[in-house]
Short mmCIF file of all heavy atoms in Angstrom, two decimals:
data_model
loop_
_atom_site.label_atom_id
_atom_site.label_comp_id
_atom_site.label_asym_id
_atom_site.label_seq_id
_atom_site.Cartn_x
_atom_site.Cartn_y
_atom_site.Cartn_z
N GLY A 375 94.80 111.43 87.52
CA GLY A 375 93.69 112.36 87.67
C GLY A 375 93.14 112.86 86.38
O GLY A 375 91.87 112.91 86.22
N LEU A 376 94.03 113.13 85.43
CA LEU A 376 93.53 113.53 84.10
C LEU A 376 92.76 112.42 83.43
O LEU A 376 91.76 112.63 82.74
CB LEU A 376 94.72 114.00 83.22
CG LEU A 376 95.41 115.26 83.69
CD1 LEU A 376 96.73 115.51 82.90
CD2 LEU A 376 94.50 116.47 83.54
N LEU A 377 93.24 111.15 83.61
CA LEU A 377 92.57 110.00 83.06
C LEU A 377 91.19 109.86 83.62
O LEU A 377 90.20 109.63 82.92
CB LEU A 377 93.39 108.72 83.35
CG LEU A 377 92.90 107.44 82.68
CD1 LEU A 377 93.01 107.56 81.16
CD2 LEU A 377 93.75 106.27 83.22
N GLY A 378 91.07 110.00 84.97
CA GLY A 378 89.79 109.95 85.60
C GLY A 378 88.85 111.02 85.13
O GLY A 378 87.64 110.83 84.92
N LEU A 379 89.41 112.25 84.97
CA LEU A 379 88.61 113.35 84.51
C LEU A 379 88.11 113.09 83.09
O LEU A 379 86.94 113.30 82.83
CB LEU A 379 89.46 114.63 84.50
CG LEU A 379 88.85 115.91 84.01
CD1 LEU A 379 87.71 116.35 84.90
CD2 LEU A 379 89.87 117.01 83.80
N GLY A 380 88.99 112.52 82.24
CA GLY A 380 88.59 112.31 80.86
C GLY A 380 87.57 111.20 80.73
O GLY A 380 86.58 111.31 79.96
N ILE A 381 87.77 110.12 81.46
CA ILE A 381 86.91 108.90 81.28
C ILE A 381 85.60 109.02 82.07
O ILE A 381 84.51 109.03 81.54
CB ILE A 381 87.66 107.61 81.68
CG1 ILE A 381 88.85 107.35 80.75
CG2 ILE A 381 86.70 106.43 81.67
CD1 ILE A 381 89.66 106.19 81.15
N PHE A 382 85.72 109.19 83.39
CA PHE A 382 84.61 109.12 84.26
C PHE A 382 83.71 110.39 84.25
O PHE A 382 82.54 110.32 84.44
CB PHE A 382 85.03 108.79 85.72
CG PHE A 382 85.84 107.53 85.77
CD1 PHE A 382 87.08 107.55 86.42
CD2 PHE A 382 85.42 106.35 85.23
CE1 PHE A 382 87.85 106.40 86.49
CE2 PHE A 382 86.14 105.22 85.29
CZ PHE A 382 87.41 105.25 85.93
N VAL A 383 84.44 111.56 84.12
CA VAL A 383 83.68 112.82 84.20
C VAL A 383 83.17 113.25 82.80
O VAL A 383 81.98 113.45 82.57
CB VAL A 383 84.51 113.92 84.81
CG1 VAL A 383 83.74 115.26 84.84
CG2 VAL A 383 84.90 113.53 86.22
N ASN A 384 84.15 113.33 81.83
CA ASN A 384 83.77 113.84 80.51
C ASN A 384 83.12 112.79 79.62
O ASN A 384 82.07 113.05 78.99
CB ASN A 384 85.01 114.39 79.85
CG ASN A 384 85.55 115.65 80.54
OD1 ASN A 384 84.80 116.31 81.23
ND2 ASN A 384 86.86 115.91 80.39
N LEU A 385 83.68 111.60 79.61
CA LEU A 385 83.13 110.57 78.68
C LEU A 385 81.89 109.92 79.25
O LEU A 385 80.80 109.86 78.59
CB LEU A 385 84.19 109.49 78.44
CG LEU A 385 83.79 108.45 77.41
CD1 LEU A 385 83.59 109.06 76.01
CD2 LEU A 385 84.94 107.36 77.31
N VAL A 386 81.94 109.42 80.45
CA VAL A 386 80.78 108.73 81.08
C VAL A 386 79.78 109.75 81.64
O VAL A 386 78.56 109.44 81.74
CB VAL A 386 81.24 107.75 82.20
CG1 VAL A 386 80.12 106.97 82.79
CG2 VAL A 386 82.29 106.78 81.62
N GLY A 387 80.27 110.89 82.02
CA GLY A 387 79.31 111.92 82.56
C GLY A 387 78.88 111.73 83.97
O GLY A 387 77.76 112.04 84.34
N LEU A 388 79.79 111.23 84.82
CA LEU A 388 79.40 110.94 86.23
C LEU A 388 79.38 112.22 87.05
O LEU A 388 78.75 112.25 88.13
CB LEU A 388 80.30 109.89 86.83
CG LEU A 388 80.16 108.51 86.31
CD1 LEU A 388 81.21 107.57 86.94
CD2 LEU A 388 78.79 107.97 86.56
N GLY A 389 80.04 113.25 86.66
CA GLY A 389 80.03 114.51 87.43
C GLY A 389 81.30 114.72 88.20
O GLY A 389 82.03 113.80 88.52
N PHE A 390 81.55 116.01 88.50
CA PHE A 390 82.78 116.41 89.16
C PHE A 390 82.67 116.07 90.67
O PHE A 390 81.61 116.32 91.30
CB PHE A 390 83.07 117.94 89.05
CG PHE A 390 83.65 118.28 87.71
CD1 PHE A 390 82.77 118.77 86.71
CD2 PHE A 390 84.96 118.18 87.47
CE1 PHE A 390 83.31 119.17 85.46
CE2 PHE A 390 85.49 118.53 86.23
CZ PHE A 390 84.67 119.02 85.24
N GLY A 391 83.78 115.55 91.19
CA GLY A 391 83.89 115.47 92.67
C GLY A 391 83.00 114.56 93.38
O GLY A 391 82.87 114.63 94.60
N ILE A 392 82.43 113.60 92.71
CA ILE A 392 81.51 112.63 93.43
C ILE A 392 82.41 111.47 93.94
O ILE A 392 83.52 111.19 93.46
CB ILE A 392 80.40 112.16 92.56
CG1 ILE A 392 80.92 111.34 91.39
CG2 ILE A 392 79.53 113.29 92.06
CD1 ILE A 392 79.81 110.66 90.59
N VAL A 393 81.82 110.76 94.94
CA VAL A 393 82.58 109.73 95.60
C VAL A 393 83.04 108.61 94.65
O VAL A 393 84.15 108.11 94.68
CB VAL A 393 81.74 109.21 96.80
CG1 VAL A 393 82.37 107.94 97.34
CG2 VAL A 393 81.60 110.24 97.84
N LEU A 394 82.08 108.18 93.80
CA LEU A 394 82.40 107.10 92.89
C LEU A 394 83.58 107.40 91.95
O LEU A 394 84.44 106.54 91.71
CB LEU A 394 81.15 106.71 92.10
CG LEU A 394 81.27 105.47 91.21
CD1 LEU A 394 81.58 104.22 92.04
CD2 LEU A 394 79.96 105.24 90.41
N VAL A 395 83.57 108.63 91.39
CA VAL A 395 84.69 109.03 90.50
C VAL A 395 86.04 109.02 91.29
O VAL A 395 87.04 108.58 90.73
CB VAL A 395 84.42 110.43 89.87
CG1 VAL A 395 85.62 110.93 89.17
CG2 VAL A 395 83.21 110.32 88.95
N ALA A 396 86.01 109.57 92.51
CA ALA A 396 87.26 109.58 93.28
C ALA A 396 87.73 108.13 93.52
O ALA A 396 88.90 107.83 93.44
CB ALA A 396 86.98 110.30 94.62
N ALA A 397 86.81 107.26 93.89
CA ALA A 397 87.23 105.83 94.17
C ALA A 397 87.81 105.19 92.96
O ALA A 397 88.81 104.47 93.02
CB ALA A 397 86.02 105.08 94.74
N MET A 398 87.15 105.40 91.79
CA MET A 398 87.59 104.68 90.54
C MET A 398 88.97 105.32 90.11
O MET A 398 89.75 104.57 89.60
CB MET A 398 86.52 104.77 89.47
CG MET A 398 85.28 103.93 89.80
SD MET A 398 84.20 103.64 88.39
CE MET A 398 83.56 105.33 88.15
N THR A 399 89.08 106.63 90.25
CA THR A 399 90.38 107.24 89.84
C THR A 399 91.49 106.72 90.72
O THR A 399 92.61 106.36 90.18
CB THR A 399 90.25 108.75 89.95
OG1 THR A 399 89.17 109.21 89.17
CG2 THR A 399 91.55 109.44 89.51
N LEU A 400 91.30 106.67 92.07
CA LEU A 400 92.34 106.12 92.89
C LEU A 400 92.62 104.67 92.69
O LEU A 400 93.72 104.18 92.82
CB LEU A 400 91.98 106.42 94.39
CG LEU A 400 92.01 107.85 94.80
CD1 LEU A 400 91.59 107.98 96.28
CD2 LEU A 400 93.36 108.51 94.62
N SER A 401 91.53 103.95 92.31
CA SER A 401 91.73 102.49 91.98
C SER A 401 92.62 102.33 90.74
O SER A 401 93.47 101.48 90.71
CB SER A 401 90.37 101.90 91.71
OG SER A 401 89.57 101.94 92.88
N LEU A 402 92.43 103.21 89.73
CA LEU A 402 93.28 103.16 88.57
C LEU A 402 94.75 103.47 88.96
O LEU A 402 95.66 102.81 88.41
CB LEU A 402 92.81 104.22 87.51
CG LEU A 402 91.55 103.89 86.74
CD1 LEU A 402 91.26 105.05 85.81
CD2 LEU A 402 91.68 102.62 85.96
N LEU A 403 94.89 104.39 89.87
CA LEU A 403 96.25 104.77 90.31
C LEU A 403 97.01 103.59 90.93
O LEU A 403 98.17 103.42 90.60
CB LEU A 403 96.13 105.91 91.32
CG LEU A 403 97.40 106.33 92.05
CD1 LEU A 403 98.37 106.94 91.04
CD2 LEU A 403 97.14 107.30 93.16
N ILE A 404 96.38 102.77 91.76
CA ILE A 404 97.07 101.77 92.48
C ILE A 404 96.94 100.39 91.79
O ILE A 404 97.57 99.43 92.26
CB ILE A 404 96.68 101.66 93.97
CG1 ILE A 404 95.21 101.19 94.11
CG2 ILE A 404 96.83 103.01 94.68
CD1 ILE A 404 94.84 100.87 95.52
N LEU A 405 96.09 100.32 90.77
CA LEU A 405 95.89 99.00 90.14
C LEU A 405 97.15 98.40 89.60
O LEU A 405 97.41 97.15 89.84
CB LEU A 405 94.84 99.17 89.00
CG LEU A 405 94.17 97.91 88.60
CD1 LEU A 405 93.48 97.21 89.78
CD2 LEU A 405 93.10 98.22 87.49
N PRO A 406 98.05 99.12 88.90
CA PRO A 406 99.32 98.48 88.43
C PRO A 406 100.14 97.95 89.58
O PRO A 406 100.74 96.91 89.46
CB PRO A 406 100.00 99.61 87.72
CG PRO A 406 98.94 100.56 87.34
CD PRO A 406 97.91 100.49 88.45
N ILE A 407 100.18 98.68 90.70
CA ILE A 407 101.03 98.22 91.86
C ILE A 407 100.38 96.91 92.39
O ILE A 407 101.13 96.00 92.71
CB ILE A 407 101.02 99.28 92.95
CG1 ILE A 407 101.55 100.63 92.39
CG2 ILE A 407 101.85 98.85 94.07
CD1 ILE A 407 101.49 101.76 93.35
N VAL A 408 99.08 96.85 92.58
CA VAL A 408 98.45 95.66 93.06
C VAL A 408 98.72 94.45 92.13
O VAL A 408 99.03 93.35 92.59
CB VAL A 408 96.93 95.91 93.26
CG1 VAL A 408 96.22 94.62 93.66
CG2 VAL A 408 96.69 97.00 94.33
N ILE A 409 98.58 94.72 90.81
CA ILE A 409 98.79 93.65 89.83
C ILE A 409 100.23 93.10 89.91
O ILE A 409 100.44 91.92 90.02
CB ILE A 409 98.50 94.13 88.42
CG1 ILE A 409 96.97 94.48 88.30
CG2 ILE A 409 98.83 93.09 87.39
CD1 ILE A 409 96.63 95.12 86.96
#
Side-chain angles (χ1 to χ4, degrees):
L376 293 171
L377 186 64
L379 178 68
I381 296 177
F382 304 126
V383 178
N384 293 335
L385 184 62
V386 182
L388 290 176
F390 283 98
I392 65 173
V393 169
L394 184 60
V395 171
M398 290 194 293
T399 303
L400 292 179
S401 298
L402 287 178
L403 172 67
I404 67 170
L405 201 55
I407 304 173
V408 175
I409 293 173

